[in-house]
Amino acid sequence: MESCERAAAIFRALGDPQRLRILMMLEASERCVSEICSVLDEPMPAISQRLRLLRSERIVRSRRDGKHVYYGLADDHISRLVTNGVMHAIENHS
């Protein structure tokens, strides 16, 4: 039961289009918050809030390098979830 609750929380976090866009970026390479803000053209507080939720669900990991905090996907399971979800959406859209 606990595993199902945890999985449901992960799917809820993945269910937001803006958070999913962040994850798609992070799948390509780890990024700092300012890079994510620039690419998505969103303010830093909004991106930081989304990253905080993704980190709390252990979907992304972070590392500090000087003044910058870099984010990346937590593991290959998350990478596959993101990739498979997007690919499924593309296939069903065609």
Side-chain angles (χ1 to χ4, degrees):
M1 188 65 172
E2 188 177 320
S3 296
C4 288
E5 291 294 328
R6 172 91 179 94
I10 290 169
F11 284 119
R12 279 191 297 275
L14 295 174
D16 177 72
Q18 292 303 92
R19 287 192 296 260
L20 193 54
R21 288 179 68 199
I22 291 170
L23 295 173
M24 290 170 59
M25 284 181 62
L26 297 179
E27 187 172 25
S29 65
E30 79 176 6
R31 308 274 181 129
C32 70
V33 177
S34 59
E35 289 176 306
I36 297 169
C37 292
S38 176
V39 171
L40 298 181
D41 193 30
E42 288 199 32
M44 192 169 292
I47 297 297
S48 293
Q49 183 179 11
R50 289 184 182 104
L51 287 167
R52 192 175 311 115
L53 185 139
L54 292 169
R55 192 165 161 218
S56 73
E57 294 299 335
R58 296 185 311 220
I59 294 171
V60 299
R61 59 172 169 67
S62 64
R63 72 171 178 86
R64 182 173 293 280
D65 185 9
K67 294 181 181 180
H68 296 282
V69 177
Y70 290 88
Y71 289 86
L73 297 183
D75 58 36
D76 288 338
H77 297 109
I78 297 298
S79 177
R80 286 192 300 271
L81 276 173
V82 171
T83 299
N84 287 336
V86 171
M87 294 305 294
H88 185 72
I90 290 169
E91 288 173 4
N92 286 337
H93 185 64
S94 301

